[in-house]
């Protein structure tokens, strides 16, 4: 798929591929997302604002140029801002693809990094020469000020123009804790929220420190996503319980929401409050909370795509990827979207029967007017021998 190269969160031409619980697919304008949600459903978004987490500077011991991309921290607390996990890059900037960036200077514990007005000390490397734990010097207020003045949003070579913070904050952005934008939330605007309310769809938020999506290093990328702190308000946990009790679906707006909700429910019951999502979600995962996900268009082999394998078997995802490719959907953070319902479990039993407090599901997604190519793929994926209606 081609990358979206313009920093437009809600372009008029943005598209949505809808994949229902039977693997049937149809295309829609993304602005019509609310049409595929039903009274009693709950849409949960990540309200994290994005930090200016890219810091350029100098490795003091060698005098070499270095870029530090902040990638993790222990909590979401505003005063817990000194210690971070970070990925290091050598000379250059976002205009060079990450996989082609020079290696950073070799760092050891105690090395000093001069990052504009900020000073950070390398505490240790984390089993990889480019992944480090570092600690900023000075009062917390100085660190916040230094990030605001010197930092820039993390970005990649497919984006030609430098990003501003307002490019990567969603309409519900609150605490600045994300390292890259929770970009599934770019779909949100007041028109969508109004349409959800009119249809009887509830809306809630949680806060999750969305991490980096790529490092340009295969070994490091295989470790993504890193551990990510989150916080689930009691009101959101209550809204999930109410939706499940009333037979509605819980729809996660993005992979970070999925990761937070599923981690918080690992003990068998959804727990409100703070936590650190340290699990990997994939084909081996039984989803306990989330019935459907609204996500970007992700390519096989990425950590985001691996998470989607918890919702659908590989044949369905391959068919969806082929449809996205043939229809010219755009990928990456400003690209198009997919609404993917969790697929029926083997043997025909609904996956809901294995989840928390489920009393049922909303009606199936509309499937009238499917293009012939999509209908044929749906039959191939689901084993149907009759036309999709």
């Amino acid at each position: 798929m081609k990358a979206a190269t313009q920093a437009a969160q809600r372009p008029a031409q943005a598209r949505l591929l809808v994949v229902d619980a039977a693997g049937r697919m149809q295309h829609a304008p993304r602005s019509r997302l609310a049409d595929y949600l039903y009274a009693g459903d709950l849409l949960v978004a990540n309200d994290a604002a994005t930090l200016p987490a890219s810091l350029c500077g100098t490795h003091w011991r060698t005098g070499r140029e270095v870029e530090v991309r902040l990638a993790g921290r222990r909590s979401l607390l505003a005063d817990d801002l000194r210690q971070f996990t970070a990925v290091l890059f050598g000379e250059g900037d976002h205009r060079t693809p990450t996989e082609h960036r020079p290696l950073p200077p070799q760092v050891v514990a105690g090395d000093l990094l001069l990052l504009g007005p900020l000073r950070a000390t390398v505490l240790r490397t984390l089993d990889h020469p480019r992944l480090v734990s570092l600690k900023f010097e000075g009062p917390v207020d100085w660190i916040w000020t230094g990030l605001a003045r010197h930092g820039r949003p993390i970005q990649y070579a497919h984006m030609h123009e430098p990003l501003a913070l307002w490019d990567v904050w969603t309409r519900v952005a609150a605490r600045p804790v994300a390292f890259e934008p929770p970009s599934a939330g770019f779909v949100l605007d007041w028109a969508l929220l109004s349409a959800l309310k009119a249809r009887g769809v509830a809306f809630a938020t949680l806060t999750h420190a969305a991490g980096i999506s790529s490092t340009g290093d295969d070994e490091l990328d295989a470790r993504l996503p890193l551990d990510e702190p989150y916080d689930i308000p009691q009101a959101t946990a209550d809204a999930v319980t109410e939706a499940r009790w009333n037979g509605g679906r819980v729809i996660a707006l993005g992979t970070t929401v999925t990761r937070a909700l599923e981690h918080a429910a690992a003990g068998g019951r959804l727990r409100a409050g703070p936590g650190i999502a340290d699990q990997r979600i994939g084909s081996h995962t039984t989803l306990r909370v989330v019935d459907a996900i609204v996500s970007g268009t992700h390519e096989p082999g990425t950590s985001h795509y691996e998470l989607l394998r918890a919702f659908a078997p590989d044949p369905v995802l391959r068919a969806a990827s082929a449809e996205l490719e043939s229809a010219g959907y755009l990928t990456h953070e400003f690209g198009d979207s997919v609404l993917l319902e969790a697929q029926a479990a083997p043997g025909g039993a609904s996956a809901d029967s294995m989840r928390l407090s489920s009393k049922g599901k909303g009606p199936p997604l509309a499937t009238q007017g499917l293009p012939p190519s999509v209908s044929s793929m749906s039959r191939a994926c689901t084993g149907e021998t009759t036309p999709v209606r």
Side-chain angles (χ1 to χ4, degrees):
M1 286 179 283
K2 293 182 179 179
T5 60
Q6 300 297 318
Q9 292 190 9
R10 290 168 296 281
Q13 69 275 18
R15 291 181 290 175
L16 178 71
L17 179 67
V18 182
V19 185
D20 75 3
R24 295 170 297 200
M25 304 177 198
Q26 72 178 110
H27 301 282
R30 195 171 68 185
S31 58
R32 302 293 298 273
L33 171 62
D35 293 353
Y36 298 90
L37 309 184
Y38 302 93
D41 285 349
L42 170 68
L43 181 67
V44 184
N46 183 357
D47 66 7
T50 306
L51 288 163
S54 170
L55 300 163
C56 291
T58 303
H59 179 239
W60 174 256
R61 181 167 54 83
T62 63
R64 284 187 54 192
E65 185 179 323
V66 66
E67 180 190 357
V68 172
R69 294 189 180 183
L70 304 179
R73 58 192 285 219
R74 298 172 297 187
S75 78
L76 303 182
L77 297 176
D79 58 356
D80 186 9
L81 199 70
R82 289 189 175 88
Q83 190 168 326
F84 288 86
T85 299
V87 178
L88 305 182
F89 293 82
E91 295 83 356
D93 59 23
H94 74 272
R95 289 170 291 188
T96 301
T98 52
E99 62 270 23
H100 297 151
R101 290 282 295 273
L103 293 174
Q106 184 176 6
V107 298
V108 296
D111 276 0
L112 180 64
L113 304 174
L114 303 179
L115 307 169
L118 297 172
R119 294 163 60 97
T121 300
V122 175
L123 300 179
R124 62 187 181 278
T125 57
L126 301 174
D127 300 320
H128 191 283
R130 290 181 53 207
L131 187 67
V132 302
S133 174
L134 58 78
K135 185 176 182 179
F136 286 108
E137 298 179 4
V140 168
D141 286 350
W142 289 8
I143 300 171
W144 278 117
T145 301
L147 290 175
R149 290 181 175 176
H150 185 64
R152 301 192 63 86
I154 291 173
Q155 70 178 98
Y156 297 91
H158 61 269
M159 297 300 302
H160 304 314
E161 298 298 325
L163 292 173
L165 270 181
W166 53 80
D167 292 324
V168 294
W169 284 23
T170 70
R171 289 292 178 93
V172 296
R175 284 184 280 179
V177 297
F179 300 100
E180 290 189 11
S183 54
F186 287 164
V187 67
L188 292 171
D189 61 11
W190 302 122
L192 174 60
L193 294 177
S194 178
L196 294 174
K197 183 177 181 180
R199 292 180 67 85
V201 177
F203 179 74
T205 62
L206 56 79
T207 308
H208 183 111
I212 61 174
S213 55
S214 177
T215 68
D217 180 286
D218 290 341
E219 182 182 345
L220 270 183
D221 284 349
R223 296 171 64 170
L224 301 178
L226 302 176
D227 296 353
E228 296 166 343
Y230 65 84
D231 185 50
I232 299 177
Q234 185 63 55
T236 297
D238 292 344
V240 170
T241 299
E242 182 177 358
R244 308 294 300 177
W245 181 256
N246 293 327
R249 300 171 301 168
V250 177
I251 296 101
L253 191 54
T255 58
T256 57
V257 174
T258 303
R259 199 176 185 211
L261 289 175
E262 294 297 329
H263 185 271
R269 182 176 181 178
L270 183 64
R271 171 185 51 81
I276 297 180
D278 56 3
Q279 85 282 36
R280 295 292 187 92
I281 296 177
S283 58
H284 61 282
T285 304
T286 296
L287 297 170
R288 296 177 177 271
V289 180
V290 180
D291 298 293
I293 183 172
V294 180
S295 181
T297 58
H298 303 297
E299 296 176 335
T302 64
S303 61
H304 296 85
Y305 186 93
E306 286 301 304
L307 184 142
L308 298 183
R309 296 180 70 201
F311 289 86
D314 288 343
V316 172
L317 293 180
R318 283 196 294 268
S321 294
E323 186 64 21
L324 292 169
E325 182 73 38
S326 65
Y329 275 59
L330 299 179
T331 190
H332 293 311
E333 65 270 40
F334 296 102
D336 296 308
S337 301
V338 174
L339 170 58
L340 175 64
E341 273 197 306
Q343 305 292 289
S350 169
D352 274 1
S353 64
M354 298 181 286
R355 298 183 193 163
L356 292 178
S357 305
S358 175
K359 291 188 65 179
K361 289 183 63 132
L365 300 180
T367 55
Q368 294 182 351
L370 293 179
S373 61
V374 181
S375 297
S376 62
M377 277 198 300
S378 301
R379 291 192 294 275
C381 291
T382 62
E384 293 184 43
T385 57
T386 57
V388 177
R389 294 189 292 270

